[in-house]
C-alpha cells in the first residue's frame, strides 16, 4: 500500500529524511509492505547548500501544497511559531502529523495531542527525544507493564560533545560548540542546547510519557553548561567523576522532580562513559528494573531514522483504519513539581591559603546539617587554571547527601564570608552513596 508523505522544513534533518525515504524506499517496502511515497517537500529557501540533492519535482515553497498532497505531514520547521500553526492546520485537514519538535510539544503539547485525539489522528514524535534512539516507543510499548519510577540520562548531543571535548582534550567551551555547530548537532539557536532548554524539553516529554500526567513546563528546574569552568571538569576528574549535563525525572507519590543541570557522575557509572554526540537514557520500572538505551542523539541520519519509524507506525494505523489513541493521558493527573532535591554536592571556593578558612566554611555547613564527605585543596592548581596570585587556591568540598534548600542557604552565607573570593561553584553529584 502507498502512503503519501509530505515534508515541511528541509534543513539538516529534513534533508536527511528525504535522503532516507528515497534511498531506502525498497528496504522499507520489503520489511513492512508499505511504500512511503514522498509527495512534496516545502522550504522557504531552496538556494541553501544541502548534503543531499532534493529532486526538483519534489520542491515547493508553498506548504499548502504539502498539506493537499499527503496522508501524513512531517513537520521539521521547529520552534513554536509557524510550526504550531502548521500542525494545527494539518490536523484540521485530517492529516496525521510526525514531528521532531520537542520545544513545541514540551510547552504546548497538551493542546496538540488533545486536538489530534479528538480527530482520531496521530502525532508521532519519536524524533523529538534522543535522535535515533527508540525511547518513545520503548516507554510507550515495551515498558508499558511497569510503573516507571525514574527516567534520566544524557539527552543533548551538543552539550555532551562539548563536555567530552573539554574533558578529553582541554578544548574551550566556545571552540567545542563551534565544532558541534559545524557538524550539524546544535539547534538553530544553540543557546537552547547550552542553557539546558533542549534537554529540559526532552525530559518533560519523557515524563509525560513515563508518568502519564501533565505538569507546566515552567516548573522544570533548568541549568545549562554555559558557566562550566574547565577547572571543575579537571578537579572533578581527579575525584573520580565525569561531568555530564543530566536530565532527571523522578516520581515520589504525587510529586515529580524534573530537573536538568551539570552533574558529576562516578566514572564507573554507565552514563559517565557516554561521550561525544551520543545520548543515553536510563528508565527504571518496578518490574523491569533498569533499562538503558544508547545511541546517536543528534544529527540528520539518526533523527531521520526516528521520523521514518513514526511514518511506518502511522501508516499501519491508516491501513488498518485504527484511530490513534495517544498513550499520553493528559486528563489523568496533574503533578506538582518539587524543587527540594536531595543529592550530594561538589562545591568550589576560591580562598586565601591561610589558617581558619576551612573552619569558617565548615561551620556554616554544620549549621545547615550538611556533612562533608571529602575535601581537596590543590596548592599548585592556580597555574592549571591560569589564575594570577600565588596565595589564592581553589578549595573543593564534597558533601554527603543534603537537601537543596539547605545547600542554597549555606552557599549564600559562605559566599558572604570575607575569605571567599568571587562566586562559589556548586555542582550536584548523582551517586548511590549517602
Ligand atoms: N540540538 C540537539 C542535540 C539536536 O544536540 O541533541 C537533537 O535534538
Amino acid at each position: 500500500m502507498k502512503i503519501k508523505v509530505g515534508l515541511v522544513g528541509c534543513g539538516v534533518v529534513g534533508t536527511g529524511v528525504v535522503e532516507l525515504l528515497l534511498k531506502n524506499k525498497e528496504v522499507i517496502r520489503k520489511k513492512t509492505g508499505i511504500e512511503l511515497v514522498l509527495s512534496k517537500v516545502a522550504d522557504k529557501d531552496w538556494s541553501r547548500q544541502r548534503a543531499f540533492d532534493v529532486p526538483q519535482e519534489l520542491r515547493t515553497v508553498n506548504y499548502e501544497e504539502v498539506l493537499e498532497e499527503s496522508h501524513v505531514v512531517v513537520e521539521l520547521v521547529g520552534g513554536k511559531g509557524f510550526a504550531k500553526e502548521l500542525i494545527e492546520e494539518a490536523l484540521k485537514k485530517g492529516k496525521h502529523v510526525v514531528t521532531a519538535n520537542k520545544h513545541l510539544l514540551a510547552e504546548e503539547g497538551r493542546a496538540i495531542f488533545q486536538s489530534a485525539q479528538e480527530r482520531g489522528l496521530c502525532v508521532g514524535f519519536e524524533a523529538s527525544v534522543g535522535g535515533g534512539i527508540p525511547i518513545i516507543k520503548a516507554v510507550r510499548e515495551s515498558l508499558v507493564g511497569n510503573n516507571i519510577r525514574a527516567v534520566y540520562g544524557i539527552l543533548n548531543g551538543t552539550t555532551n560533545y562539548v563536555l567530552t571535548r573539554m574533558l578529553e582534550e582541554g578544548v574551550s567551551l566556545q571552540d567545542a560548540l563551534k565544532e558541534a555547530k559545524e557538524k550539524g548537532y546544535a539547534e538553530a539557536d544553540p543557546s537552547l542546547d547550552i542553557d539546558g532548554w533542549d534537554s529540559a524539553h526532552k525530559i518533560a516529554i519523557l515524563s509525560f510519557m513515563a508518568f502519564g500526567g501533565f505538569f507546566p513546563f515552567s516548573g522544570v528546574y533548568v541549568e545549562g553548561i554555559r558557566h562550566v569552568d574547565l577547572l571543575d571538569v579537571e578537579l572533578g576528574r581527579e575525584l573520580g567523576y565525569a561531568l555530564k549535563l543530566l536530565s532527571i525525572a523522578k516520581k515520589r507519590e504525587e510529586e515529580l522532580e524534573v530537573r536538568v543541570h551539570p552533574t558529576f557522575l562516578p566514572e564507573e557509572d554507565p552514563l559517565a562513559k557516554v561521550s561525544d554526540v551520543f545520548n543515553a537514557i536510563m528508565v527504571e520500572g518496578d518490574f523491569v528494573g533498569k533499562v538503558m538505551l544508547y545511541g546517536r542523539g543528534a544529527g540528520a541520519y539518526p533523527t531521520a531514522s526516528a521520523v521514518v519509524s513514526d511514518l511506518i507506525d502511522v501508516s499501519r494505523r491508516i491501513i488498518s483504519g485504527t484511530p490513534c489513541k495517544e498513550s499520553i493521558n493528559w486528563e489523568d493527573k496533574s503533578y506538582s513539581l518539587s524543587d527540594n532535591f536531595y543529592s550530594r554536592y561538589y562545591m568550589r571556593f576560591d580562598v586565601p591559603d591561610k589558617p581558619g578558612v576551612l573552619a569558617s566554611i565548615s561551620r556554616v555547613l554544620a549549621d545547615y546539617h550538611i556533612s562533608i564527605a571529602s575535601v581537596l585543596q590543590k596548592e599548585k592548581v592556580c597555574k592549571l587554571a591560569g589564575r594570577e596570585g600565588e596565595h589564592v587556591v581553589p578549595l573543593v568540598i564534597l558533601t554527603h547527601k543534603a537537601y537543596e534548600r539547605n545547600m542554597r542557604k549555606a552557599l549564600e552565607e559562605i559566599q558572604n564570608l570575607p575569605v571567599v573570593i568571587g562566586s562559589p561553584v556548586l555542582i550536584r553529584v548523582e551517586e548511590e552513596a549517602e
Side-chain angles (χ1 to χ4, degrees):
M1 166 126 190
K2 285 187 183 178
I3 299 292
K4 289 192 284 178
V5 177
L7 197 152
V8 184
C10 196
V12 174
V13 174
T15 307
V17 173
V18 174
E19 184 174 347
L20 197 166
L21 288 177
L22 297 182
K23 282 191 176 163
N24 282 2
K25 188 173 176 175
E26 217 21 50
V27 175
I28 296 167
R29 193 191 59 74
K30 278 194 185 143
K31 285 189 197 173
T32 63
I34 295 165
E35 198 178 329
L36 295 176
V37 181
L38 202 48
S39 53
K40 277 282 167 206
V41 181
D43 196 278
K44 58 183 186 321
D45 178 9
W46 285 107
S47 65
R48 278 191 284 173
Q49 274 291 108
R50 288 178 169 81
F52 180 79
D53 195 19
V54 179
Q56 283 295 340
E57 66 275 16
L58 293 180
R59 299 182 189 188
T60 177
V61 286
N62 181 3
Y63 78 94
E64 280 158 344
E65 268 184 60
V66 173
L67 294 190
E68 289 313 316
E69 294 187 26
S70 321
H71 296 108
V72 192
V73 175
V74 181
E75 179 276 308
L76 294 172
V77 176
K80 297 198 299 174
F82 170 63
K84 185 181 171 195
E85 289 164 30
L86 172 72
I87 292 176
E88 281 169 352
E89 200 175 329
L91 293 173
K92 277 187 196 144
K93 286 197 150 76
K95 311 291 175 175
H96 300 274
V97 171
V98 169
T99 177
N101 196 331
K102 54 256 168 179
H103 192 163
L104 180 61
L105 293 185
E107 296 190 16
E108 301 188 36
R110 189 176 207 181
I112 290 169
F113 285 112
Q114 274 173 346
S115 162
Q117 214 158 319
E118 278 160 21
R119 297 174 164 89
L121 295 167
C122 304
V123 176
F125 54 101
E126 183 65 70
S128 65
V129 183
I133 304 171
I135 181 65
I136 300 292
K137 211 175 188 57
V139 173
R140 177 167 52 206
E141 294 173 19
S142 316
L143 303 175
V144 70
N146 289 265
N147 266 312
I148 307 287
R149 295 181 179 130
V151 185
Y152 51 96
I154 295 164
L155 297 181
N156 183 268
T158 301
T159 46
N160 205 44
Y161 181 85
V162 168
L163 290 174
T164 305
R165 297 284 288 145
M166 288 174 81
L167 181 67
E168 291 177 4
E169 312 288 340
V171 173
S172 76
L173 193 143
Q174 288 314 321
D175 286 351
L177 179 60
K178 199 164 152 257
E179 289 172 20
K181 276 193 225 165
E182 282 160 11
K183 288 172 186 273
Y185 304 148
E187 295 299 304
D189 172 4
S191 61
L192 285 172
D193 298 301
I194 292 301
D195 294 324
W197 295 106
D198 179 74
S199 299
H201 293 141
K202 291 168 178 170
I203 195 69
I205 293 172
L206 285 181
S207 306
F208 299 154
M209 298 288 303
F211 307 119
F214 170 77
F215 56 82
F217 179 77
S218 55
V220 177
Y221 178 83
V222 188
E223 191 185 310
I225 66 163
R226 187 179 291 275
H227 302 294
V228 166
D229 191 326
L230 195 52
L231 175 61
D232 296 302
V233 175
E234 289 173 347
L235 289 172
R237 184 172 52 188
E238 286 196 33
L239 291 164
Y241 296 112
L243 189 67
K244 296 288 171 191
L245 183 64
L246 215 66
S247 305
I248 301 167
K250 289 183 187 165
K251 189 170 141 193
R252 289 202 202 97
E253 294 166 5
E254 298 313 299
E255 258 197 352
L256 277 187
E257 181 183 311
V258 185
R259 51 188 165 113
V260 174
H261 49 70
T263 309
F264 277 127
L265 292 171
E267 55 199 6
E268 63 278 6
D269 188 303
L271 288 172
K273 297 183 173 65
V274 176
S275 56
D276 294 320
V277 74
F278 284 91
N279 283 192
I281 304 143
M282 193 76 86
V283 185
E284 280 183 35
D286 53 355
F287 276 71
V288 75
K290 285 186 183 181
V291 174
M292 182 165 134
L293 285 95
Y294 168 88
R296 286 188 181 276
Y301 285 4
T303 314
S305 161
V307 167
V308 171
S309 147
D310 276 343
L311 285 172
I312 292 300
D313 275 355
V314 174
S315 301
R316 287 189 172 128
R317 298 271 192 171
I318 296 172
I319 293 164
S320 67
T322 323
C324 284
K325 167 89 177 68
E326 186 46 61
S327 63
I328 298 180
N329 190 346
W330 301 97
E331 301 306 330
D332 194 26
K333 237 176 212 152
S334 277
Y335 288 107
S336 52
L337 288 179
S338 165
D339 63 353
N340 191 22
F341 324 141
Y342 186 60
S343 82
R344 278 157 76 86
Y345 292 85
Y346 162 108
M347 288 176 285
R348 173 168 62 83
F349 309 101
D350 289 339
V351 291
D353 193 3
K354 64 178 194 190
V357 171
L358 186 55
S360 61
I361 292 174
S362 59
R363 167 58 34 220
V364 179
L365 293 175
D367 288 347
Y368 286 97
H369 314 287
I370 297 163
S371 172
I372 295 173
S374 54
V375 176
L376 174 73
Q377 183 175 298
K378 303 280 283 183
E379 273 183 84
K380 294 195 175 121
V381 88
C382 303
K383 195 162 167 248
L384 176 71
R387 284 158 207 252
E388 298 300 323
E390 272 178 20
H391 305 295
V392 177
V393 289
L395 170 67
V396 171
I397 295 180
L398 203 68
T399 75
H400 287 290
K401 279 190 178 168
Y403 281 106
E404 174 99 4
R405 70 165 174 260
N406 286 357
M407 184 52 72
R408 283 177 192 278
K409 284 184 200 150
L411 205 66
E412 212 179 296
E413 270 189 40
I414 295 172
Q415 188 164 5
N416 291 329
L417 293 174
V419 291
V420 173
I421 300 160
S423 299
V425 171
L426 183 76
I427 300 176
R428 294 157 191 90
V429 181
E430 283 285 321
E431 61 182 328
E432 300 299 326
E434 275 306 304

